Amino acid sequence: MSYNPLQSVNHQHHQIYQNEDPAFNQSTGFITPAKPAKHTSKWIKIGIPVAVLVIAGAVVGGILGSRKSSSSSSAAASSAAAASSASAKIAAGVFATATNSEYMIPIYPSTTNTALYTTPTFNSAVAGWPSDPFAPATPSVLSVRPDRPRLIAPAYKWEALPALIASDPYLASWNASIFNNASQYDALPAVVYFMDGDSGILDVARQVKQRVKAFGYVYRMTNNTHWVDRTWEELQNAAGNGTASTWAQAPADDRWNSAHFLDTAGGYLLGSSKRSLALRDVAELSAAYGIAYDWLYDLWTDDQKAAILATLIQYGLGPGVQAFTNSSVFTGWWANNIEGNWNCVCNNGLTMASLAILGDDPSGFANQLLGLTVNNAKENCAFAVSDDGTWSETNDYWYFGTTGHAEMAASLLTATGSDYDLLTVNPNFYKTGLFHMYGSGATTLFQWGDNGPNKYTSTANSLLFYANAYNQPQFALFQRDQYDAADPWSMFWYNPQISGAFWDGMPLDHAFDNSTDQWMSMRSSWTDPNALYVGIKAGTLQGHQTHNDLDVGDFVLDALGTRWAGELGDGDYLSPYYFSNDTQGSARWMYYRKMTEGQNTLLLGATNQDVTAKPTMQSGTSNTTQGSSTVFTPGSDSTAFFVTDMTSAYFNATSVKRGIRLLNGRKQVLLQDEINASTSIMWRMHTNATVSASGTSATLTIEDKTMNVSILNAPAGATFATSAAKRLSTDVTPPAPDQDNPGVTVLIISLPAGTYNLQVLFNPQWNDGTSFVTPPSVALDNWSLTSHNSS
Ligand SMILES: *[C@@H]1O[C@H](CO)[C@@H](O)[C@H](O)[C@H]1NC(C)=O
Ligand SMILES: *[C@@H]1O[C@H](CO)[C@@H](O)[C@H](O)[C@H]1NC(C)=O
Ligand SMILES: *[C@@H]1O[C@H](CO)[C@@H](O)[C@H](O)[C@H]1NC(C)=O
Ligand SMILES: *[C@@H]1O[C@H](CO)[C@@H](O)[C@H](O)[C@H]1NC(C)=O
Ligand SMILES: *[C@@H]1O[C@H](CO)[C@@H](O)[C@H](O)[C@H]1NC(C)=O
Ligand SMILES: *[C@@H]1O[C@H](CO)[C@@H](O)[C@H](O)[C@H]1NC(C)=O
Ligand SMILES: *[C@@H]1O[C@H](CO)[C@@H](O)[C@H](O)[C@H]1NC(C)=O
Ligand SMILES: *[C@@H]1O[C@H](CO)[C@@H](O)[C@H](O)[C@H]1NC(C)=O
Ligand SMILES: *[C@@H]1O[C@H](CO)[C@@H](O)[C@H](O)[C@H]1NC(C)=O
Ligand SMILES: *[C@@H]1O[C@H](CO)[C@@H](O)[C@H](O)[C@H]1NC(C)=O
Ligand SMILES: *[C@@H]1O[C@H](CO)[C@@H](O)[C@H](O)[C@H]1NC(C)=O
Ligand SMILES: *[C@@H]1O[C@H](CO)[C@@H](O)[C@H](O)[C@H]1NC(C)=O
C-alpha cells in the first residue's frame, strides 16, 4: 500500500480523503486509502463540497454495488439526501444499547438496518469540523500557532463543538459523561499521593491528568471559573504545595519520581550503580501540567503561570533533559532502542509540556527537548508496531503506547501544523487499529503476556484519531461504542462525518504473520456477545520489551458469552528479576504466570520453551465477512485455521506442530497437536470453569453455561486430568512466591515420550438445536479450508 497521508494530515486534518471514494478491501479489512489531497488553496476547497455531495448522495441512496462508478445525481437530490442523512443520524442515536457489565463490551441490538448499518465511510454531507486556519507552509517544532489552546483542541474546534454536539449523538453522550465525571472528581479531595510498588506513582499521575482534562473541558464549555480553581488545586497538590498536599511526602528534589520504582525493584537496573531516569510518571504529570497551562492559559494570573512553569521545569522538563543528555546517569534507557510504550509515553509527555510553554519557558528546556523527542519517538515509539500491525509488547500495552503516540502526533499537528512523519515513518503503523480490533475477543482481549497498570487516561481512543489520520473509518466506528470512549480527546478526535457500521464487510478472521508475534484471530460474529472467538499465537520469545510469556502455541477461547480458555496475566512487577532479561536463564521464566507451564500450550520435559524459538505459521480463512445486519450466521463451510510448526520452541523433540480450526459453521473448535518427542509431554489449558473430567471427555461449566471437551481418536493413555494452577513440584523455586490463581483449574493430558496425534474437540453447548459434527482425522500438513467439510 503506497500512500503518504501526511501532507493532507498536516493541513486539512479533518478533511482528508473526502474527494475520493475509498474502497473497502474485504480480505484485508482495510480501506484502500485514497490519494492524499494536496495542500489546497482556499479557492480550491470551495469546489470540493459539490463533488463530495455527489458521492454522499450515491451512498445514502444505497447505490453500493459499484461505488467507483460515477453518479449523475442532481445537486437537488444530493442536498435532500444530505439532510435526510443528518436527521437519520440523530434519530439513530448511539448504536450500542448497553455495555456488558462483566466484560465491558458494547451490546448491539439484534436487528437489520440496511440504511444505517452500511459500509464504513466519511459522509461529507453531514456537518463536520471546519478546516484549521493555522496551516503553515513550512512547519517547525519550534514555531507554534498564534492562538491558544495549542494542544489537541485549538480554539476553532471549541467554537464548532456545541453545534456538532447538537447534531451528533456520540458527541452528545460523551459530553454528558465528561461533565458527569468532572462533577464526580470535583467532589473528591485532590488526588492522594500513593507510591505503588507495581507502578510507582503512575496511577496517581494519570489520575491528575484525567482530572485536568475533565476540569479543563468543562471550564471551556461553561466559562465557569470554579473549574479553573479546581484545576489549580490539583496542580498545587501535585507540586507538594499547600498545607493539605499529600504529595509533600515525596522527596522535594524529585517529587515526580523520575527514577521509576521498577528500575530497581523489578530488575531493570539490579546491579547498576547508576541512577536511572525512567520518567514515565514524570511524563504523565508533565502532560497534565502542559494541558492545564495551555487550555486555561488566559485564566491564569502571571503568578500562577510562573508557579506552574517553575514546578514543571524542576520536576518534569529538567529530568527530561537529563535523561537525554547526561551520561553520568543511566540516561533514559527508554530512549535507546526501546520500541515500546515507555518510549511513546515519555516522549509524548515531554513534548506536550514543551509545546505548551514554548515562548514562556525561562529554562530553554522546552526548545532543547523538542529538538530531541520527535526524532526519538520516530526511531523508537513508531516501531513498536510490527509490519502486520501487532503492538510488539502485548495487547494491553497497546493502550499506553498508542495513547502516547496519538497524543504526541495530535499535539504536534495542532500546535505546529505537522506531525513530522511520526504517523508514517513506520508505513505499517496504521494497521495497529486492526490489531486492536482483532485482539478484542467476544469477551475480552487476547491478553497474552503482561497486562500492566491501571489505564485511567490510557484508552483505545487513539482509534478515533487514527481513523481520520489514516482514513480507516472502521476504527472509529468500533471504538465509539466502547465504554472508554467518553474522554475529552474523543470530542476533538472524532470526525462526526463518519457513518456506517464497523462490522459491515469486516472479515471475521485475520492472520498476523510478522515473525515477532505470528498470531490469528477467528470469530463467528462481530456483534453477538455469545460469539465463538479463538485467538492463538506462536512468534518469537524475545523482542517484546520483556513483557511476554514463554507461550508459543498459546490460545484463548470464548463462547456463550464467557472465556473458557484464558490467560493468567501479569505477575507481581515487584518480584525480584521479573524484568531482568529474556535470556533462557532469566528469573522471569521461573514465575508461574510467565513460564510455559502457565500457558495454554504444550509443556515438554516439564521444561520451559526455548527462548530462541523461531516458529513458523500457516493460516487459512474462508474470508467470511459479516454483512450489514447484527444478526449473522456463518455458512456451514465458513472456517478458519492456524497451524504452527513450533519444534524450535522445544528441547528433546523432533517435531512439534499445533493447529486450531473452526468447524461446523464456526460452532466448534478442533485443536490438534502432532508431537514426536523423546521427553514427557503435557497438554495444558487454564480455565475459570468447574471441570468434571472422565477419561477422554471433560465437561466445563461456568454459571449455567457448558462446554464439552473430548479427545478424538485418543492415543493409548490419553485422558483428561486436572490440577490447580500452580507450579510443578519439580520446578526451580523462583526468587519470590507466585501469585495465587484463584478459581483457575488446569485441564491436562499427560503422555510419555513418543509420537502422537492429539486431537481435542471443543463443543460449546449452544442449546439452540445445533447438531455437532465429528471431524475427520487429517494431518496438519494436509489441513485446508475444505479438509474438514461435512458430508
Ligand atoms: C454538555 O453536557 C452538559 C451536562 O449534561 C450540558 O449541560 C451541556 O448543555 C452539554 N453541552 C452541549 C453543547 O450540549
Ligand atoms: C464517567 O462517567 C461514566 C458515565 O457517566 C461512568 O460510567 C464512568 O464510571 C465515569 N468514570 C469515572 C472514572 O468516574
Ligand atoms: C465562553 O466564552 C467564550 C469566549 O468569550 C465564548 O465564545 C463562549 O460562547 C462562552 N461559552 C459559554 C457557554 O458561555
Ligand atoms: C510550589 O512551591 C514551590 C516552592 O515555593 C514553587 O517554586 C512552585 O512554583 C509551586 N508550584 C505550584 C504549582 O504552585
Ligand atoms: C549529571 O548527573 C549527575 C548525577 O545525577 C549530576 O551530579 C550532574 O550534575 C549532572 N550533570 C549535568 C551537566 O547536569
Ligand atoms: C516485523 O515488523 C518489523 C517492523 O516493526 C520489521 O522491522 C520486521 O522486518 C518485520 N519482520 C518480518 C519478518 O517481516
Ligand atoms: C478468568 O476470567 C477473566 C475475566 O472474567 C479472564 O480475564 C481470565 O483470563 C480468565 N482466566 C482464565 C484462566 O480463563
Ligand atoms: C539475566 O537475568 C538473570 C537474572 O534473572 C541474570 O542472572 C543473568 O545474568 C542475566 N543475563 C544477562 C545476559 O543479562
Ligand atoms: C481469502 O483472501 C486472500 C487474500 O486476498 C486470498 O489469498 C485467498 O485466496 C482468499 N481465500 C478464499 C477462500 O477466498
Ligand atoms: C533433554 O533430554 C536429556 C536426556 O534425557 C536431558 O538430560 C536434558 O535435560 C533434556 N533437556 C531439556 C532442556 O529438557
Ligand atoms: C520420531 O523422531 C525420531 C528421532 O528423530 C525418529 O527416529 C522417528 O522415526 C520419529 N518417529 C516418527 C513416527 O516419525
Ligand atoms: C456434554 O456433556 C454432558 C455431560 O457429560 C453430556 O450429558 C452431554 O451429552 C454432552 N453433550 C454432547 C453434545 O456431547
Side-chain angles (χ1 to χ4, degrees), residues 240-519:
N241 293 356
T243 49
S245 175
T246 50
W247 294 56
Q249 66 189 280
D253 64 345
D254 189 25
R255 199 147 270 158
W256 291 358
N257 190 35
S258 64
H260 192 286
F261 206 60
L262 276 183
D263 293 340
T264 45
Y268 286 110
L269 289 178
L270 286 175
S272 166
S273 57
K274 288 188 175 180
R275 176 165 175 257
S276 141
L277 290 172
L279 288 203
R280 198 161 54 167
D281 313 359
V282 163
E284 294 287 27
L285 285 161
S286 298
Y289 262 56
I291 295 158
Y293 188 81
D294 179 52
W295 280 23
L296 303 176
Y297 189 79
D298 296 334
L299 282 302
W300 301 128
T301 64
D302 288 348
D303 285 351
Q304 285 176 312
K305 278 187 195 141
I308 295 171
L309 286 170
T311 296
L312 180 56
I313 289 163
Q314 182 184 6
Y315 298 138
L317 303 192
V321 169
Q322 292 281 313
F324 273 107
T325 61
N326 187 341
S327 57
S328 319
V329 294
F330 185 71
T331 47
W333 50 265
W334 50 267
N336 300 306
N337 292 315
I338 296 297
E339 297 170 350
N341 81 93
W342 208 303
N343 185 276
C344 303
V345 171
C346 291
N347 280 314
N348 171 53
L350 297 174
T351 299
M352 289 182 83
S354 296
L355 290 170
I357 68 169
L358 205 64
D360 296 353
D361 167 26
S363 68
F365 290 164
N367 277 38
Q368 199 179 345
L369 283 167
L370 288 168
L372 297 164
T373 55
V374 180
N375 288 332
N376 191 269
K378 283 167 60 175
E379 286 165 17
N380 296 290
C381 165
F383 287 93
V385 171
S386 301
D387 62 5
D388 61 7
T390 301
W391 190 268
S392 58
E393 289 172 301
T394 62
N395 261 301
D396 189 68
Y397 276 98
W398 175 92
Y399 287 84
F400 304 105
T402 57
T403 297
H405 178 267
E407 286 179 357
M408 184 165 169
S411 297
L412 287 166
L413 277 163
T414 53
T416 74
S418 174
D419 74 326
Y420 310 96
D421 286 345
L422 180 59
L423 286 165
T424 46
V425 63
N426 175 352
N428 294 301
F429 195 98
Y430 72 101
K431 295 178 183 170
T432 210
L434 276 198
F435 166 70
H436 177 70
M437 289 174 73
Y438 284 102
S440 300
T443 63
T444 188
L445 292 178
F446 179 9
Q447 57 212 163
W448 72 70
D450 287 334
N451 284 283
N454 293 331
K455 296 200 173 65
Y456 298 103
T457 47
S458 295
T459 65
N461 293 323
S462 58
L463 289 180
L464 302 178
F465 177 70
Y466 296 149
N468 218 49
Y470 296 123
N471 191 32
Q472 302 293 335
Q474 73 280 27
F475 295 174
L477 293 170
F478 175 84
Q479 174 59 18
R480 69 182 188 174
D481 286 312
Q482 303 287 331
Y483 76 97
D484 61 352
D487 166 2
W489 290 170
S490 304
M491 303 305 292
F492 304 95
W493 286 349
Y494 182 67
N495 180 347
Q497 296 177 317
I498 202 160
S499 70
F502 76 87
W503 59 84
D504 185 19
M506 191 73 178
L508 295 178
D509 315 310
H510 195 90
F512 295 78
D513 59 3
N514 186 286
S515 55
T516 307
D517 287 290
Q518 294 172 322
W519 72 281

